[in-house]
Amino acid sequence: METRNGWADLTDKASFSGIWFHAVLCGFLLALFVSLPLRASAAPLEAKAYKMAGDATHMRIVMQFDREPDPRWFLLRGPHRLVIDLPETNFSVDARELKARGLVAGVRFGNVGEGRSRLILSAKGPFAVERVEVLENEKSEGYRLVADIAASSERVFDEALAEQTQTTGSTQATKKTDRLGQMAPRAAGKRFTIVIDPGHGGIDGGAEGVNGAVEKSVTLAFATELKKKLEQTGPYNVFLTREKDEFLRLDERVRIARQHEADLFISIHADTIRLKGIRGATVYTVSDKASDAEAAALAVRENLSDELAGIEIEEENHEVADILVDLIRRETHTFSMRFARSLVGELSTAVELINNPHRSAGFKVLRAPDVPSVLVELGYLSNAKDEAQLLDPDWRGKAAERISAAVELFATERTGTGG
Ligand SMILES: [Zn+2]
């Protein structure tokens, strides 16, 4: 027993000293490991690649590094900028990747002295930072810096600016509702805001009437009338996505709605259909599956606007565009449906409607995740009577009045006060 105990002691002692040995060794290795990046940090980081993807509403920016960067980011105004500070970095990236696109109006980077470097992204308008994160590459050496930004309002940008403390390392935006513009509750005291979107414009004329009316002009004239009527109806803020004959991308129209924190987005159209006998107004909401073949075909035509204008369509960044917004989209959709139904009711008292006047399809311009949105086809330019009405100021006034009445009902419900 004693021997065994002795052996047992010895074994214990041996393993005890073994633990010590390991501890010391591990400590030494750890110290070596920790000191390696520190020593290596004397040499500048290598930024090897830069990529941007997205559109005017969401962008993802990815920069590849040979080692782990330690970014600090902050916001600047005039223009709206995201500034990411880095340890000294040698940038060797493809200049073609830096050209402005989507929400990003410009990219600059370089040394800012004292062994620091900086990446500056200028945006087209206010935005919210969804994340700035450093991730280790799974399939290759090195690390990547990922920044996601989303179009937002001036208010959201200003709040972030006011709250900002330099943020270190990997950060996630904390207030998810804020960055998506907040469906509910609405910001207290904020005026009910409507963004009216005159369809088409500039090089994209839209449909052409049997007697020569051009959709882009019809929509602008109507939108202008509707703005006037709304301003007479209630204490609303009313904006147009365009006030002149200019081309706007579909995602830019959505960005403008978000910039104004629109409570309602109304896109105005007047298209054509092969059957010239068909006439009347239609109210569309967004859906993944179209309500009918005609609605599906119309959405395809409308969504071609960017391509018709010769705009290069980049692959949508679905991960950025969709996952974040699904929850809020559902609530928004409920409001869009409610407004569409009430709009159909109001319009039916004064203007001709087609059969089943509330339809749905996958319109890109209705995809603001946090803004209830409808697309109104006022009538068909392929029908001579509809075309004549669309050019008639009296008819326009009457139709605009009914839309204003529907907006008033909706605004009262949303704000509890009607304004
Ligand atoms: Zn159209």
Side-chain angles (χ1 to χ4, degrees):
M1 283 296 272
E2 275 211 1
T3 320
R4 290 188 74 180
N5 274 346
W7 272 109
D9 277 344
L10 196 63
T11 323
D12 282 347
K13 266 178 203 153
S15 55
F16 188 64
S17 58
I19 287 166
W20 263 106
F21 177 71
H22 275 104
V24 169
L25 184 66
C26 286
F28 175 72
L29 287 175
L30 190 67
L32 189 68
F33 178 74
V34 165
S35 70
L36 271 177
L38 286 177
R39 279 198 290 154
S41 71
L45 286 172
E46 296 290 332
K48 298 178 289 185
Y50 179 91
K51 293 257 182 234
M52 287 196 283
D55 59 22
T57 60
H58 286 88
M59 285 296 280
R60 171 164 293 173
I61 294 100
V62 179
M63 200 166 213
Q64 294 286 348
F65 291 88
D66 63 331
R67 302 192 309 278
E68 189 172 0
D70 169 29
R72 292 151 204 270
W73 63 267
F74 57 96
L75 301 172
L76 286 178
R77 236 192 188 296
H80 304 89
R81 277 162 293 170
L82 170 63
V83 181
I84 301 177
D85 273 344
L86 297 160
E88 190 172 9
T89 304
N90 288 330
F91 297 94
S92 47
V93 304
D94 187 342
R96 283 168 299 183
E97 300 292 342
L98 305 174
K99 75 173 202 283
R101 77 187 71 161
L103 187 52
V104 176
V107 183
R108 281 188 299 143
F109 48 71
N111 188 278
V112 284
E114 293 174 0
R116 307 287 306 171
S117 291
R118 183 168 276 188
L119 168 66
I120 304 176
L121 302 164
S122 310
K124 257 188 170 175
F127 61 88
V129 177
E130 292 182 334
R131 66 165 175 165
V132 174
E133 205 172 357
V134 174
L135 300 166
E136 188 170 3
N137 290 336
E138 297 85 5
K139 289 177 186 157
S140 58
E141 294 275 296
Y143 291 78
R144 63 193 187 276
L145 171 72
V146 182
D148 287 343
I149 61 172
S152 76
S153 65
E154 297 289 354
R155 180 183 65 86
V156 169
F157 190 87
D158 281 344
E159 277 177 13
L161 204 59
E163 280 175 17
Q164 95 183 345
T165 47
Q166 280 211 1
T167 322
T168 312
S170 295
T171 54
Q172 297 273 344
T174 45
K175 290 195 286 179
K176 297 201 173 191
T177 47
D178 262 17
R179 74 183 193 208
L180 290 170
Q182 277 188 331
M183 262 304 291
R186 300 176 66 255
K190 179 182 158 282
R191 276 190 172 203
F192 190 85
T193 302
I194 305 117
V195 170
I196 309 168
D197 173 46
H200 311 278
I203 196 169
D204 169 23
E208 258 185 58
V210 277
N211 292 312
V214 180
E215 188 182 1
K216 66 175 181 179
S217 311
V218 169
T219 58
L220 183 57
F222 189 85
T224 308
E225 174 72 22
L226 179 56
K227 179 175 191 281
K228 205 173 80 191
K229 277 280 182 320
L230 282 167
E231 284 166 344
Q232 289 163 1
T233 304
Y236 309 137
N237 287 334
V238 189
F239 301 95
L240 301 185
T241 53
R242 66 177 178 96
E243 293 183 337
K244 55 179 196 278
D245 181 18
E246 65 178 327
F247 175 78
L248 285 184
R249 286 173 57 131
L250 296 171
D251 58 359
E252 177 64 8
R253 296 168 194 264
V254 176
R255 191 193 69 75
I256 291 169
R258 301 201 67 196
Q259 173 166 358
H260 293 299
E261 287 186 80
D263 295 294
L264 190 57
F265 177 83
I266 305 175
S267 189
I268 302 291
H269 287 260
D271 280 85
T272 52
I273 190 165
R274 264 165 301 153
L275 302 166
K276 294 200 185 325
I278 291 187
R279 56 176 305 211
T282 320
V283 176
Y284 289 93
T285 46
V286 75
S287 65
D288 289 337
K289 198 169 174 294
S291 57
D292 57 286
E294 182 49 42
L298 179 70
V300 167
R301 284 203 302 278
E302 292 297 357
N303 291 346
L304 276 176
S305 167
D306 291 346
E307 279 169 63
L308 289 175
I311 304 276
E312 190 184 323
I313 304 298
E314 293 188 14
E315 205 177 309
E316 277 181 62
N317 194 336
H318 287 287
E319 198 187 347
V320 184
D322 292 336
I323 293 172
L324 294 169
V325 299
D326 267 0
L327 273 177
I328 289 190
R329 181 173 286 158
R330 208 168 303 166
E331 190 192 1
T332 304
H333 191 240
T334 307
F335 284 114
S336 303
M337 296 288 278
R338 202 176 292 172
F339 176 68
R341 277 195 291 268
S342 133
L343 184 54
V344 164
E346 286 296 329
L347 282 173
S348 69
T349 66
V351 308
E352 190 105 10
L353 299 175
I354 68 162
N355 285 337
N356 305 318
H358 178 190
R359 302 184 179 211
S360 64
F363 294 93
K364 274 189 191 169
V365 78
L366 301 182
R367 287 190 178 270
D370 47 3
V371 183
S373 304
V374 300
L375 185 147
V376 181
E377 288 283 349
L378 294 166
Y380 287 106
L381 283 176
S382 42
N383 180 280
K385 280 185 188 157
D386 272 7
E387 182 182 23
Q389 281 186 340
L390 288 162
L391 298 173
D392 172 11
D394 285 346
W395 184 90
R396 287 204 298 253
K398 202 170 61 175
E401 206 168 279
R402 293 342 298 156
I403 297 178
S404 298
V407 171
E408 192 179 17
L409 285 172
F410 185 72
T412 308
E413 192 188 348
R414 290 291 289 138
T415 62
T417 61

